[in-house]
């Protein structure tokens, strides 16, 4: 990055996807000012905020779904079809 990122007259927008992600301009530099700015940020953000293609989100959700189903299948009880009695 260069000095243009911190220019107060012409803000640099990291992303403008439904929210303007910029470096906050907190006049007094207080922790409470930054805390308020962070509270205003959206809870979830799309892949374009990170410079990714929208299909990256689809791939992520498919991977998470496959992982969830694998975990659910592994939790299923194992059954024996042989009908034999258990030995000690």
């Amino acid at each position: 990055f260069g000095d243009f990122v911190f220019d107060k007259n012409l803000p640099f927008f990291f992303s403008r996807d439904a929210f303007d992600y910029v470096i906050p301009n907190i006049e007094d530099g207080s922790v409470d000012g930054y805390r308020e700015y962070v509270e205003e940020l959206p809870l979830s953000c799309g892949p374009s905020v990170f410079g990714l293609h929208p299909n990256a989100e689809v791939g992520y959700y498919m991977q998470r779904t496959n992982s969830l189903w694998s975990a659910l299948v592994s939790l299923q009880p194992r059954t024996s079809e042989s009908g034999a009695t258990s030995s000690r």
Side-chain angles (χ1 to χ4, degrees), residues 32-52:
D32 291 331
Y34 285 102
R35 189 173 288 141
E36 289 174 13
Y37 178 78
V38 169
E39 291 293 327
E40 293 174 1
L41 293 172
L43 293 177
S44 63
C45 48
S48 63
V49 172
F50 303 104
L52 299 173

Side-chain angles (χ1 to χ4, degrees), residues 13-83:
F13 293 96
F14 292 99
S15 175
R16 298 189 97 168
D17 184 37
F19 185 83
D20 293 338
Y21 291 92
V22 296
I23 295 176
N25 186 12
I26 309 298
E27 294 297 325
D28 60 356
S30 68
V31 173
D32 291 331
Y34 285 102
R35 189 173 288 141
E36 289 174 13
Y37 178 78
V38 169
E39 291 293 327
E40 293 174 1
L41 293 172
L43 293 177
S44 63
C45 48
S48 63
V49 172
F50 303 104
L52 299 173
H53 191 272
N55 286 344
E57 188 173 30
V58 173
Y60 167 76
Y61 285 134
M62 289 187 63
Q63 180 183 7
R64 294 299 301 162
T65 302
N66 288 337
S67 175
L68 174 69
W69 280 109
S70 294
L72 289 173
V73 168
S74 71
L75 292 173
Q76 293 295 315
R78 306 265 193 258
T79 59
S80 174
E81 297 293 330
S82 66

